[in-house]
Amino acid sequence: MPTSFTVVPVEVQGEERGPAERDGQRPEEEEDAERDRGSGDGIARETSPFIKSADMDRGNMYEGKNMALFEEEMDSNPMVSSLLNKLANYTNLTQGVVEHEADEDSKRKEVKVPRMGTFIGVYLPCLQNILGVILFLRLTWIVGTAGVLESFIIVFMCCACTMLTAISMSAIATNGVVPAGGSYYMISRSLGPEFGGAVGLCFYLGTTFAGAMYVLGTIEILLTYISPSAAIFKAEEVGEETEAMLNNMRVYGTCIIILMAIVVFVGVKYVNKLALVFLACVILSIIAIYAGVIKTAFDPPNFPICLLGNRTLSKHSFDVCAKFTESNNETKTTTLWRLFCDSSLLNATCDDYFSLNNVTEIQGIPGIMSGVLTDNLWSTYTEKGSIVEKKDQPSVVGSEEIKMGGLPYVFTDIMTSFTMLVGIYFPSVTGIMAGSNRSGDLKDAQKSIPTGTILAISTTSFIYLSCIVLFGACIEGVILRDKFGEAVNGNLVVGTLAWPSPWVIVIGSFFSTCGAGLQSLTGAPRLLQAIARDGIVPFIQVFGHGKANGEPTWALLLTAGICEIGILIASLDSVAPILSMFFLMCYMFVNLACAVQTLLRTPNWRPRFKYYHCAEKEWGDGIRGLSLNAARYALLRVEDGPPHTKNWRPQLLVLLNLNSEQLVKHPRLLSFTSQLKAGKGLTIVGSVLQGIYLDKWTETQKAEENVKALMGVEKTKGFCQVVVSPNFRDGISYLIQSAGLGGMKHNTVLMAWPQSWKQTENRFSWKNFVDTVRETTAAQQALLVAKNIDLFPTNQERFTEGNIDVWWIVHDGGMLMLLPFLLRQHKVWRKCKMRIFTVAQMDDNSIQMKKDLQMFLYHLRLNAEVEVVEMFENDISAFTYEKTLMMEQRSQMLKQMQLSKNEREREAQLIHDRNTASHSAPAVKASVAAAVPEKVQMTWTKEKFVAEKHKNKDSNVSGFKDIFNMKPNRSNVRRMHTAVKLNGVVLNKSQHAQLVLLNMPGPPKNRKGDENYMEFLEVLTEGLDRVLLVRGSGREVITIYS
């Protein structure tokens, strides 16, 4: 399927015209055919990105043969039926490439068809990324240190943070189609390049340091719990164990980073294939924990703890938890004795605390029914190097003369506090963007990302919160505070609880941390490559290059280097807070993006996920002194040019008519403006007074006061501009051209339909109207014409039911789709349902058209009923023929009457000139005579006047006879046929709708047919109460992208 197409102009398809059309071609139309083909009135217009190439078969040009009313503009505004399939199949649109920078590389291969659903594509990846190293290595220690209550607060606070972020991210993700690019793409396109680049770098650094954290966790599991003998550096003296461990982490970490980088460089596809294996390890480990908790209820595991007084002892250096043993009636000292005393004799000098306190042994895991939960409710924050002590255990404090560093106590390795634990724990709830990062591989990203992410966060939050309570209810507090399991023979603390064996947790956590590290090293370079290719930060653009297949080689090297910085820190507890800061900043910007879009109410902000805010409140501002400077700064910053499609909103110029007392004739036009704008964006209310400004300045001031007063009553926020012009037509032109300031200019004109255009005393109203239509087209501005404006609702009315019907005949930028959405934001129209009708021709598949239109609306995030109306070509009825004949007769009669009136005015002017000349000086007479054309005679006699009068009368009579003998122009018959048929179809479906929006055909290229154009529009909308005729500017104003 081609990505775009071009509709061939009508004028170049003479050989395909029907007989009626060929015969109806007038000389004036042939002259106008030489004009620019941009629009129906010969004015070049900005074209749509949907209709730019020549891939379409020229034979399809005449798809709308019975849509003659629209055919002059089909080169710029094609029939909807001809492009619906391309609109629905968004992957083939050039809009996602050119306008949204989704594919800047023209050689990029087509993305394969998305196939993953919510469970595989979002839920499981998020689950894998959220559950991991902190759960297995630090959660028990956090529970023991902060207590069950404060740990619950920490976990709940962090989970709430990610849940709120996920809600904001869901709103952003469902605000349009997200092709490939994932979270970075969504955030950067929502916030703009400046914020987008900053967020992208925070996200990248967070993901990179996450890789370092996972690698450190892997080494900690390996050297502490799997194979302590594999350590390269050994502690030669007491107190050097920590330094030796850090050096081992650095050496092993560097080796593993290099190994992982090679794996990612060579076979990234294998990393993705092993993801489910790593996830299975995590799930099995969690199941083992829950199984172990259940087992403790009736058969707690045997993990005794040795206490000296209330101090916990490390079992690395002794086996028997006693000072001495009885054997053959002989008392022998134990290894523990020799650790605290200077000899093995019973009379040896021992540590004062050792001598004063007894050695006791208690169960490390008393079980869920033991009531240990009450002891673990409260926090126990300590300084670095403190001994882990059991609460409520009898203890006698000695002189402490001997240095405790060499004694077999369990010491704390860092100072602990609430904020410190928050920083260490927070990385365990990150990973919520794993699903959105796969947006390009999902069947339905708008549905899968919110559902999968929120379900994953809910699942993991339940796991974390339940584990906190279960750990506190099953495990002794001193074991919980023993970070490395020294009191239980060097076992992983959470492993002691697991069933059937601690090794299930140890092996499972080892593989899960390895997999998470590989995933980070796989994802982070691609994120950096995307940022570099966007060109936001110039000095990192080199990292946008990679291998021939697109793999980010240079970005992988930088990522590995940054990971090495985290490895050199060597402490998981020190790296985790760094990671927390980067992710917190990233999440802050995600929420900011959602908040800004919500507050600005941009028309493109239409997320399918609706639960991203609770209430809206508008607050006044008190810093009025800065308003002028802020306005000037903002105006200078606004681009002087068309905005991006995502930022487009109707900036209105409302044209009001005033009566002789300078009061607004149609106040409902301002009511409708308020309902359409809701106080957002630019609104300029303009009006024209006929005359000279020096004579009309008082009326001008009065008119401005009246308009501003009405704007206040109707709550229309905007500016008023009254122009004085010698004629009404030029004044409207001045407003269209010059209203606004800098980049803050209108892009849409709103006006009322001239109800009295048929009245002879108001013969210029329809000419002014048609010229206004042409001027808005020339200025590339949209036009809204409200017919029967006095029947439109006030701001106080509320429609409790009904429909807003959109009749989408031709595509001219999508404004018809956008306007009902904006109206339904207002209380007046909120309960109205949106219905969209489009017309199928003879060769169209109406069933497929309906499916395509439903898909297109789904991607636009618009909720509307869809109906395709079949309107086949048939014979022109006698009613249509007669109506066209009456229209042309009336038009010809008006021309004859106008001609007669012009001649009478010319005669009166000649008499006035003669009288003026007779009373002037001879020299003046001579000069006047010289200036008058030769055919004008200054001696106008009564006989000549009577003869001329009878001559004109005779010519008029013959002209009127010709009127009743004329035959209608076939082109006009075809246009009237379209208007009558469309009107019948619309009346059948939408006669009782609260509002009908309809494509407004363009005026004819032949300006002599302007009055016929008014008649066509009158017939098209006959019988409808409230009609809004919509004429787009030709540029896209609504997009499926976020």
Side-chain angles (χ1 to χ4, degrees):
M1 181 181 291
T3 58
S4 56
F5 60 91
T6 295
V7 179
V8 182
V10 174
E11 289 77 12
V12 299
Q13 289 288 331
E15 66 276 12
E16 296 182 12
R17 296 173 184 260
E21 188 177 7
R22 284 197 298 266
D23 295 344
Q25 179 94 6
R26 293 187 296 272
E28 291 87 349
E29 289 178 322
E30 293 175 359
E31 294 173 6
D32 290 334
E34 298 177 2
R35 297 182 184 181
D36 188 353
R37 301 308 202 254
S39 67
D41 50 14
I43 299 170
R45 303 170 67 191
E46 183 176 347
T47 56
S48 162
F50 295 111
I51 44 175
K52 280 189 178 175
S53 79
D55 294 336
M56 177 174 250
D57 184 5
R58 294 167 69 92
N60 292 340
M61 193 286 302
Y62 239 69
E63 286 186 82
K65 283 191 287 187
N66 66 335
M67 287 293 169
L69 199 56
F70 299 92
E71 68 185 11
E72 283 190 340
E73 292 189 309
M74 283 191 184
D75 54 342
S76 59
N77 300 341
M79 289 291 297
V80 171
S81 57
S82 66
L83 80 160
L84 253 183
N85 184 258
K86 299 180 186 300
L87 291 174
N89 189 7
Y90 66 90
T91 55
N92 290 330
L93 292 182
T94 58
Q95 186 179 12
V97 180
V98 178
E99 217 172 301
H100 296 272
E101 310 92 29
D103 184 8
E104 294 177 2
D105 186 0
S106 59
K107 297 181 181 179
R108 184 170 163 186
K109 296 180 180 178
E110 270 196 39
V111 182
K112 59 185 177 182
V113 178
R115 62 181 184 278
M116 289 196 292
T118 302
F119 186 75
I120 297 294
V122 180
Y123 180 75
L124 291 183
C126 286
L127 216 63
Q128 179 189 0
N129 280 264
I130 295 173
L131 299 172
V133 60
I134 301 294
L135 171 64
F136 300 121
L137 296 184
R138 293 293 182 268
L139 190 58
T140 53
W141 172 72
I142 291 173
V143 173
T145 304
V148 172
L149 292 180
E150 290 188 29
S151 297
F152 199 91
I153 293 173
I154 291 173
V155 174
F156 182 81
M157 187 168 60
C158 295
C159 291
C161 176
T162 53
M163 178 62 82
L164 293 174
T165 305
I167 289 172
S168 297
M169 188 184 70
S170 298
I172 296 173
T174 58
N175 187 49
V177 175
V178 183
S183 304
Y184 165 69
Y185 180 90
M186 292 188 298
I187 299 167
S188 61
R189 269 55 180 179
S190 296
L191 281 174
E194 296 89 351
F195 282 113
V199 175
L201 288 176
C202 286
F203 193 22
Y204 165 72
L205 291 172
T207 307
T208 304
F209 274 98
M213 184 185 73
Y214 291 131
V215 171
L216 291 173
T218 302
I219 302 165
E220 184 176 310
I221 294 170
L222 176 67
L223 297 182
T224 307
Y225 308 113
I226 296 179
S227 179
S229 61
I232 298 173
F233 297 93
K234 309 287 185 181
E236 297 179 358
E237 296 182 6
V238 176
E240 293 183 356
E241 294 86 355
T242 302
E243 188 62 34
M245 184 62 178
L246 293 178
N247 289 330
N248 285 317
M249 301 277 272
R250 293 182 180 107
V251 173
Y252 274 94
T254 303
C255 296
I256 291 179
I257 281 292
I258 294 172
L259 181 63
M260 285 184 172
I262 293 172
V263 171
V264 171
F265 179 78
V266 174
V268 66
K269 58 182 179 181
Y270 300 111
V271 176
N272 295 325
K273 288 181 179 179
L274 289 173
L276 288 178
V277 176
F278 299 138
L279 177 61
C281 294
V282 176
I283 294 175
L284 286 175
S285 301
I286 293 172
I287 292 173
I289 293 173
Y290 283 111
V293 170
I294 296 172
K295 183 176 178 294
T296 61
F298 53 87
D299 184 18
N302 183 30
F303 280 99
I305 309 167
C306 190
L307 299 176
L308 176 60
N310 64 350
R311 297 177 179 178
T312 310
L313 298 176
S314 173
K315 283 195 173 182
H316 283 304
S317 306
F318 65 93
D319 297 324
V320 180
C321 183
K323 294 183 179 180
F324 38 77
T325 59
E326 296 287 339
S327 178
N328 299 326
N329 295 325
E330 182 181 356
T331 302
K332 293 183 180 179
T333 57
T334 61
T335 306
L336 180 62
W337 177 280
R338 290 188 288 272
L339 292 173
F340 283 92
C341 303
D342 56 4
S343 72
S344 60
L345 301 176
L346 291 173
N347 58 355
T349 303
C350 298
D351 176 71
D352 194 24
Y353 188 85
F354 182 79
S355 302
L356 296 174
N357 292 276
N358 295 325
V359 175
T360 56
E361 194 172 59
I362 62 173
Q363 276 299 325
I365 305 179
I368 195 170
M369 307 300 292
S370 64
V372 73
L373 178 63
T374 56
D375 297 332
N376 294 328
L377 284 177
W378 313 109
S379 61
T380 309
Y381 298 117
T382 57
E383 297 292 330
K384 181 179 180 180
S386 301
I387 300 173
V388 176
E389 299 177 341
K390 177 174 169 54
K391 303 172 186 177
D392 304 326
Q393 186 76 9
S395 173
V396 179
V397 179
S399 60
E400 303 291 344
E401 293 179 355
I402 302 177
K403 184 179 180 181
M404 291 189 297
L407 299 178
Y409 292 125
V410 177
F411 295 98
T412 57
D413 61 335
I414 60 171
M415 183 271 296
T416 54
S417 64
F418 183 84
T419 52
M420 170 66 75
L421 296 183
V422 171
I424 292 174
Y425 173 77
F426 189 79
S428 67
V429 295
T430 60
I432 62 173
M433 295 184 179
S436 60
N437 287 338
R438 301 187 178 198
S439 57
D441 299 324
L442 299 174
K443 287 179 183 177
D444 188 352
Q446 295 189 23
K447 178 181 177 182
S448 295
I449 290 177
T451 306
T453 305
I454 292 175
L455 279 178
I457 293 176
S458 301
T459 303
T460 54
S461 298
F462 171 78
I463 291 173
Y464 281 125
L465 293 171
S466 63
C467 282
I468 286 173
V469 177
L470 295 176
F471 290 163
C474 295
I475 305 175
E476 185 62 55
V478 289
I479 297 296
L480 290 174
R481 293 191 293 277
D482 183 6
K483 184 185 293 185
F484 301 109
E486 297 176 62
V488 286
N489 298 319
N491 281 299
L492 182 62
V493 173
V494 69
T496 61
L497 183 62
W499 181 86
S501 168
W503 285 100
V504 175
I505 301 293
V506 173
I507 300 301
S509 60
F510 178 78
F511 281 112
S512 71
T513 50
C514 280
L518 280 171
Q519 292 285 350
S520 296
L521 277 181
T522 303
R526 282 160 177 73
L527 182 57
L528 179 62
Q529 186 182 49
I531 300 170
R533 285 182 173 177
D534 275 350
I536 299 171
V537 185
F539 63 85
I540 66 169
Q541 289 187 13
V542 65
F543 298 107
H545 305 292
K547 292 194 294 186
N549 61 356
E551 291 297 322
T553 308
W554 294 107
L556 176 61
L557 290 176
L558 180 64
T559 302
I562 296 174
C563 269
E564 180 61 20
I565 296 174
I567 296 299
L568 293 178
I569 296 174
S571 171
L572 189 149
D573 300 319
S574 299
V575 173
I578 299 174
L579 179 63
S580 298
M581 287 188 290
F582 285 127
F583 273 111
L584 280 170
M585 286 190 286
C586 181
Y587 293 168
M588 178 191 72
F589 281 113
V590 173
N591 289 292
L592 177 65
C594 183
V596 167
Q597 297 275 31
T598 305
L599 292 174
L600 291 180
R601 290 184 184 178
T602 54
N604 189 55
W605 181 244
R606 304 183 303 275
R608 286 196 167 273
F609 184 82
K610 302 295 184 183
Y611 311 105
Y612 58 91
H613 66 87
C614 298
E616 297 178 8
K617 185 72 177 176
E618 293 188 6
W619 299 95
D621 60 286
I623 314 177
R624 304 296 297 175
L626 297 177
S627 296
L628 185 60
N629 286 334
R632 174 183 170 276
Y633 175 78
L635 281 172
L636 292 175
R637 292 273 294 174
V638 172
E639 294 182 8
D640 190 8
H644 196 282
T645 305
K646 294 184 294 185
N647 301 324
W648 195 95
R649 67 161 76 236
Q651 315 284 16
L652 290 182
L653 170 61
V654 185
L655 298 179
L656 294 180
N657 289 327
L658 305 178
N659 59 21
S660 58
E661 298 179 358
Q662 280 72 52
L663 296 175
V664 177
K665 287 185 179 180
H666 303 293
R668 298 287 178 93
L669 199 60
L670 284 182
S671 302
F672 185 70
T673 303
S674 301
Q675 295 157 20
L676 186 63
K677 297 293 290 181
K680 303 294 180 181
L682 176 69
T683 302
I684 301 173
V685 180
S687 189
V688 177
L689 295 181
Q690 194 165 344
I692 300 174
Y693 183 71
L694 291 177
D695 301 332
K696 291 280 187 178
W697 66 272
T698 53
E699 288 89 338
T700 303
Q701 288 184 337
K702 182 179 179 182
E704 285 189 359
E705 291 173 0
N706 293 338
V707 172
K708 287 179 180 178
L710 184 60
M711 289 173 67
V713 171
E714 299 294 344
K715 298 181 180 178
T716 304
K717 299 178 181 179
F719 307 97
C720 175
Q721 189 168 352
V722 178
V723 172
V724 180
S725 173
N727 61 74
F728 188 82
R729 166 72 189 80
D730 290 343
I732 295 293
S733 178
Y734 299 155
L735 283 173
I736 292 174
Q737 293 178 59
S738 61
L741 179 62
M744 290 293 289
K745 296 181 71 69
H746 63 279
N747 53 31
T748 305
V749 176
L750 172 62
M751 61 189 300
W753 172 263
Q755 299 286 355
S756 58
W757 70 272
K758 289 186 177 181
Q759 299 176 9
T760 55
E761 65 269 15
N762 196 19
R763 63 186 184 279
F764 293 114
S765 66
W766 59 268
K767 282 188 173 294
N768 292 336
F769 176 81
V770 178
D771 286 340
T772 302
V773 175
R774 287 196 172 98
E775 294 235 348
T776 56
T777 304
Q780 294 183 351
Q781 295 171 5
L783 177 64
L784 309 179
V785 178
K787 193 162 186 268
N788 301 327
I789 185 62
D790 294 328
L791 299 179
F792 276 57
T794 64
N795 289 331
Q796 287 71 40
E797 294 181 47
R798 300 287 184 271
F799 288 131
T800 56
E801 58 181 2
N803 301 309
I804 299 176
D805 286 356
V806 176
W807 285 85
W808 193 23
I809 312 299
V810 295
H811 181 71
D812 57 357
M815 196 168 183
L816 276 170
M817 307 288 105
L818 188 62
L819 292 175
F821 169 79
L822 296 176
L823 282 175
R824 291 182 69 244
Q825 307 303 304
H826 197 274
K827 294 178 181 179
V828 173
W829 306 92
R830 187 163 295 166
K831 294 185 179 180
C832 292
K833 295 180 180 178
M834 180 178 171
R835 298 192 302 180
I836 296 183
F837 299 88
T838 191
V839 176
Q841 301 294 301
M842 180 70 72
D843 298 330
D844 294 330
N845 183 343
S846 57
I847 297 176
Q848 186 60 43
M849 280 180 63
K850 184 173 182 178
K851 291 180 180 178
D852 292 338
L853 184 53
Q854 287 172 335
M855 180 60 67
F856 181 54
L857 292 177
Y858 177 78
H859 292 316
L860 286 175
R861 294 92 65 201
L862 295 175
N863 296 319
E865 297 179 16
V866 172
E867 186 169 345
V868 177
V869 179
E870 295 181 344
M871 185 173 163
F872 300 140
E873 188 171 7
N874 52 17
D875 294 335
I876 297 174
S877 65
F879 172 77
T880 302
Y881 192 88
E882 181 183 355
K883 201 168 185 65
T884 309
L885 180 61
M886 290 174 60
M887 175 189 72
E888 292 191 354
Q889 287 174 345
R890 178 182 179 278
S891 175
Q892 191 65 28
M893 191 177 299
L894 287 174
K895 288 180 181 178
Q896 293 286 355
M897 293 171 63
Q898 184 67 29
L899 181 62
S900 301
K901 185 174 181 180
N902 288 342
E903 290 177 350
R904 288 197 302 271
E905 290 175 351
R906 182 172 63 85
E907 292 167 3
Q909 181 64 38
L910 291 177
I911 294 172
H912 172 74
D913 291 344
R914 186 195 64 179
N915 293 334
T916 303
S918 64
H919 292 87
S920 301
V924 177
K925 286 184 182 179
S927 63
V928 171
V932 175
E934 293 180 0
K935 66 178 181 178
V936 178
Q937 308 231 351
M938 304 308 294
T939 56
W940 189 267
T941 63
K942 181 178 180 181
E943 291 78 9
K944 287 185 178 181
F945 178 77
V946 172
E948 186 70 18
K949 185 176 180 181
H950 284 291
K951 177 183 176 182
N952 290 336
K953 184 177 180 180
D954 294 339
S955 63
N956 287 342
V957 171
S958 62
F960 284 122
K961 288 181 180 179
D962 292 338
I963 289 174
F964 294 104
N965 294 327
M966 66 185 295
K967 292 183 178 180
N969 180 279
R970 295 196 178 192
S971 178
N972 284 339
V973 171
R974 292 175 63 248
R975 286 172 168 80
M976 182 63 75
H977 177 61
T978 300
V980 170
K981 284 195 67 177
L982 261 181
N983 177 255
V985 171
V986 174
L987 276 178
N988 183 42
K989 298 287 185 180
S990 304
Q991 187 170 12
H992 302 293
Q994 302 292 6
L995 179 64
V996 176
L997 286 84
L998 189 66
N999 281 116
M1000 181 178 180
K1005 292 182 178 180
N1006 178 20
R1007 293 176 182 264
K1008 294 183 179 180
D1010 285 356
E1011 64 275 15
N1012 296 338
Y1013 171 68
M1014 298 295 291
E1015 190 72 43
F1016 292 145
L1017 294 183
E1018 192 74 61
V1019 171
L1020 182 63
T1021 57
E1022 190 175 3
L1024 298 171
D1025 290 339
R1026 303 182 192 92
V1027 183
L1028 187 65
L1029 293 170
V1030 180
R1031 183 164 171 78
S1033 64
R1035 74 182 305 272
E1036 292 303 316
V1037 301
I1038 192 169
T1039 173
I1040 61 177
Y1041 294 90
S1042 61

